[in-house]
Amino acid sequence: MSPDDMLSKLQPTSIQISAIQELRENKRQSDYFNHLSAISESIPALGWVTINQDPSHYVKEMNDAGQFYSNRVLKEWKEINKVHVDWVKAWVETLSDLQNYVQNYYSTALKKVIPEMQTYKCATLRFGSVTVKETYHSPDDTIVNALPSLEKSPKFSKDGKKWIVEYQTGVPDLMIDNVDLSDIVYMFKCQSTNLVIKGKLNSVILDSCCNSSIMFDSILTSIEFINCQSVHM
């Protein structure tokens, strides 16, 4: 299948994914914002077809990305209405079933067909007890770059124990102060931005960031770089 054919087939899915993410952004005051966020964070799993190697692992990562909000749904609703608990279970199981399907029918075949592909890397380095993990998924650039995307507004906020830093561009002195050991910092699609974290926190994730840096006093568990380019710590 040519890239143009693939793009044509993926475009309807891409449009729906964008619509889901836009709905979530427009419903921040909704009682069901955590539900919408759980789906919005994990629905990119449908893009597994653009991942050259080990696409089932990509599905798992997207499932994991949504579980922060899934757990908030469970915490908020488990004593109020069991329907919401069942909803979380059904959604997580759906993604788990997708992961198993991809692993059983596509991952092994892909490894046989394209063993020479070396663009996927997952290197783990250790600094004391802290794990630094770098992950890069290699989609078909022709397809991914042509997919429609939404213009996003910069975000800098805290949701529970999760600091969210998204779509920041050209910010040289962004700072998070007074973190604690249970805090997580998630930095997504930031460009030419420097983030300083004061205090000791649990973990840090940089996802799809470019020409950016992060500094912190101390970290408890791990810092992870996903699909980043020219980032510094």
Side-chain angles (χ1 to χ4, degrees), residues 53 118-123 134-138 225 227-228:
Q53 189 168 338
Q118 301 297 324
T119 51
Y120 173 88
K121 61 182 179 179
C122 180
E134 181 181 2
T135 306
Y136 177 70
H137 294 289
S138 177
F225 301 91
N227 291 343
C228 292

Side-chain angles (χ1 to χ4, degrees), residues 121 134 190-194 206 208-214 225 227-233:
K121 61 182 179 179
E134 181 181 2
C190 295
Q191 297 185 21
S192 304
T193 294
N194 302 320
L206 274 72
S208 304
C209 296
C210 180
N211 296 323
S212 297
S213 68
I214 186 166
F225 301 91
N227 291 343
C228 292
Q229 296 180 2
S230 300
V231 294
H232 306 281
M233 178 179 66

Side-chain angles (χ1 to χ4, degrees), residues 54-179:
D54 202 1
S56 65
H57 182 68
Y58 174 77
V59 176
K60 181 182 184 301
E61 286 190 342
M62 294 301 99
N63 194 2
D64 292 344
Q67 287 195 15
F68 173 82
Y69 292 101
S70 296
N71 290 337
R72 290 179 66 87
V73 173
L74 294 176
K75 181 179 179 181
E76 181 180 359
W77 292 93
K78 65 181 180 180
E79 303 296 337
I80 301 174
N81 191 334
K82 187 176 179 294
V83 169
H84 298 267
V85 176
D86 293 338
W87 178 87
V88 168
K89 182 179 179 181
W91 178 242
V92 172
E93 285 183 352
T94 297
L95 293 175
S96 296
D97 288 345
L98 175 61
Q99 178 191 348
N100 291 333
Y101 171 79
V102 174
Q103 183 173 11
N104 290 335
Y105 294 99
Y106 289 92
S107 292
T108 302
L110 281 169
K111 290 176 183 178
K112 291 180 180 178
V113 173
I114 52 173
E116 71 281 3
M117 288 188 175
Q118 301 297 324
T119 51
Y120 173 88
K121 61 182 179 179
C122 180
T124 300
L125 307 174
R126 287 194 174 273
F127 293 85
S129 60
V130 176
T131 299
V132 180
K133 183 179 180 183
E134 181 181 2
T135 306
Y136 177 70
H137 294 289
S138 177
D140 186 317
D141 292 336
T142 303
I143 296 170
V144 173
N145 291 338
L147 292 177
S149 60
L150 293 173
E151 291 295 329
K152 299 289 188 177
S153 299
K155 184 186 302 182
F156 184 65
S157 62
K158 189 177 184 183
D159 188 350
K161 294 297 183 180
K162 184 177 183 180
W163 287 91
I164 301 172
V165 184
E166 296 182 347
Y167 304 104
Q168 302 285 339
T169 301
V171 184
D173 54 358
L174 203 59
M175 180 177 293
I176 297 176
D177 205 356
N178 296 323
V179 296

Side-chain angles (χ1 to χ4, degrees), residues 19 21-30 33 36:
Q21 293 172 338
E22 184 176 24
L23 176 65
R24 179 247 191 175
E25 293 299 321
N26 292 334
K27 295 292 184 180
R28 288 190 164 272
Q29 303 305 316
S30 170
F33 176 72
L36 295 171

Side-chain angles (χ1 to χ4, degrees), residues 209-229:
C209 296
C210 180
N211 296 323
S212 297
S213 68
I214 186 166
M215 297 178 62
F216 49 84
D217 292 337
S218 184
I219 193 166
L220 181 63
T221 57
S222 66
I223 178 167
E224 183 172 1
F225 301 91
I226 304 172
N227 291 343
C228 292
Q229 296 180 2

